Amino acid sequence: MKKDLEQLKDDFLALVDKVTDRESLETLRNEFLGRKGKLKAAMKEMAQLADEERKAIGKIANEVKEAIEVAYGGQEETFKKLQREESMGKEWIDVTQPVIGGESRGSIHPVTQVQQELEDLFTSMGFIIADGPELESDYYNFTALNIPPTHPARDMQDTFYVEGADGVVMRTHTSSVQIRSMRRYGAPLRMVAPGRCFRNEATDVRHEHTFHQLEGMMIDKGISLSHMKGVLEIVARHLYGEETHIRLRPKFYPFVEPGVNGEVTCFLCKGDGCRLCKKTGWLEVFGAGMVHPNVLREGGVDPDEYSGFAFGFGLTRLVMLKYGIDDIRHLESGDLRFLKQF
Ligand code: PHE
């Protein structure tokens, strides 16, 4: 009997290597280990054996069964692996496809939210969205904007100069995109350019070395200050509601003439005066003016034919006002406790 059992095992081991698919593997296993299988049949005679011998044979039968199972398992694994490899060749995943019903993983940064809102507004008025580098040439950032190397205005916008790269600075404002856009698109032109700017600041709740602006420019024949006021009023009302007014007061910027400091009615007190507007009723949110002829010339636009206005919104400031953020440093901190609120 012992021999019969061992023969059974050898038979199985010989056959198992020859099967070529999972179905015949299953059949083979049943043939040996199934209820009406060979092992059961071989063990029928066990009942007639003496206790001692039955124990010994039982042990062998178990070992045979185990060996068959192991061989079966090994072969099954081989088939599974083959099947996996085959389907991997056929199936593919589009990793660019958006997750359907997936858990949302983040939120849009408040600066980006306000930026997108303004981009929508300006494109609806026919403005294009322009872009320029954050690491900018000294020329585009200052000189071309009527700020020659010796001009004191350079001190107002102290920036980060780059070691070993002469004439290159981290841009201090988005106004550098004015020149780039004029050169690229010519006149007439309507563009806005949102982006990151940098200044060498001693940081505190109101000052940060990195912040955002939104530049804008409109050039055409016969553009005047009233066009500028009209466009900026639309922006102010879009941001803070229909009753919002704007106030323009003279301010010097080398690249505009005349230049203005732009304020909007304080949205908190509606102009009565409160803590937010420091009792003035007005909030300062942009700088603007009629593009200086020298700047038009640098952009390749003839100032005798064309005129235009330009403006620069403090995007970061708009965001702080909108959400009542009292420390500018939160915005660039990357702190999730802050960002998850938006
Ligand atoms: N670039 C100016 C600043 O950063 C803002 C400005 C833009 C003023 C365009 C006038 C015209 O302060």
Side-chain angles (χ1 to χ4, degrees):
M1 229 182 128
K2 186 179 164 198
K3 253 196 198 144
D4 289 347
L5 285 170
E6 253 141 30
Q7 186 59 46
L8 254 180
K9 181 174 84 176
D10 293 342
D11 286 352
F12 185 87
L13 295 184
L15 287 168
V16 79
D17 282 339
K18 297 209 180 79
V19 293
T20 52
D21 58 86
R22 276 181 88 172
E23 212 175 307
S24 9
L25 179 67
E26 247 8 90
T27 316
L28 185 67
R29 182 178 179 275
N30 267 336
E31 232 170 78
F32 280 78
L33 300 183
R35 271 200 295 144
K36 291 180 184 158
K38 292 184 176 172
L39 187 67
K40 273 268 151 63
M43 283 164 71
K44 260 199 183 130
E45 295 155 36
M46 262 173 75
Q48 285 130 45
L49 297 175
D51 268 4
E52 199 72 350
E53 215 176 332
R54 198 169 60 217
K55 248 192 198 166
I57 293 290
K59 202 173 155 222
I60 293 167
N62 273 339
E63 283 163 10
V64 167
K65 189 175 173 213
E66 176 114 12
I68 290 179
E69 289 284 20
V70 169
Y72 161 82
Q75 189 69 328
E76 192 191 30
E77 218 15 80
T78 314
F79 284 144
K80 277 191 190 162
K81 201 173 146 206
L82 256 159
Q83 202 177 27
R84 271 201 301 272
E85 280 169 4
E86 221 172 89
S87 63
M88 260 200 288
K90 270 189 250 145
E91 290 167 13
W92 57 281
I93 300 170
D94 179 1
V95 292
T96 64
Q97 195 176 17
V99 181
I100 297 163
E103 178 194 338
S104 83
R105 287 184 193 263
S107 53
I108 296 184
H109 193 283
V111 169
T112 312
Q113 287 185 28
V114 175
Q115 176 186 324
Q116 288 176 346
E117 197 182 319
L118 286 173
E119 284 176 358
D120 282 350
L121 174 70
F122 278 107
T123 47
S124 79
M125 295 193 285
F127 284 68
I128 58 167
I129 314 234
D131 201 6
E134 293 173 350
L135 186 60
E136 182 57 280
S137 73
D138 182 297
Y139 170 77
Y140 279 118
N141 194 80
F142 295 122
T143 314
L145 288 165
N146 210 23
I147 316 174
T150 51
H151 200 287
R154 289 204 175 197
D155 287 346
M156 282 162 52
Q157 299 191 356
D158 188 14
T159 185
F160 300 105
Y161 291 84
V162 180
E163 237 172 47
D166 245 10
V168 172
V169 301
M170 297 304 285
R171 68 173 174 198
T172 58
H173 50 185
T174 42
S175 299
S176 50
V177 190
Q178 287 185 23
I179 309 286
R180 288 181 174 276
S181 302
M182 282 188 282
R183 291 201 176 173
R184 178 142 187 193
Y185 304 107
L189 175 69
R190 265 180 271 180
M191 72 86 181
V192 284
R196 254 188 334 173
C197 308
F198 312 84
R199 283 185 204 178
N200 183 10
E201 300 271 10
T203 58
D204 59 31
V205 289
R206 299 179 55 140
H207 299 89
E208 175 67 297
H209 50 69
T210 303
F211 57 97
H212 287 74
Q213 288 191 340
L214 184 125
E215 193 78 12
M217 182 176 227
M218 179 167 181
I219 298 174
D220 210 330
K221 288 178 179 159
I223 295 291
S224 71
L225 203 73
S226 48
H227 293 111
M228 181 180 96
K229 191 166 181 231
V231 168
L232 291 168
E233 238 158 26
I234 291 173
V235 179
R237 294 202 175 127
H238 177 83
L239 284 171
Y240 301 117
E242 277 308 310
E243 286 91 67
T244 311
H245 295 285
I246 66 169
R247 177 165 84 164
L248 306 176
R249 293 191 299 171
K251 176 158 182 188
F252 174 71
Y253 294 101
F255 34 95
V256 285
E257 178 60 33
V260 300
N261 173 14
E263 294 165 310
V264 297
T265 320
C266 177
F267 60 85
L268 203 62
C269 62
K270 306 280 176 227
D272 294 342
C274 67
R275 227 189 55 140
L276 185 67
C277 58
K278 297 208 197 86
K279 303 252 185 298
T280 63
W282 297 96
L283 297 169
E284 188 186 330
V285 288
F286 62 86
M290 299 306 292
V291 184
H292 196 288
N294 287 350
V295 175
L296 289 173
R297 258 180 235 116
E298 284 294 338
V301 173
D302 180 0
D304 291 329
E305 198 180 347
Y306 288 100
S307 58
F309 62 84
F311 53 86
F313 275 90
L315 198 52
T316 301
R317 176 144 168 83
L318 293 181
V319 172
M320 290 177 73
L321 290 170
K322 174 165 181 179
Y323 296 108
I325 298 165
D326 56 8
D327 188 335
I328 190 172
R329 291 169 296 189
H330 285 312
L331 289 160
E332 297 289 325
S333 68
D335 189 335
L336 286 179
R337 289 169 304 175
F338 171 76
L339 292 172
K340 278 187 170 160
Q341 298 173 66
F342 299 96

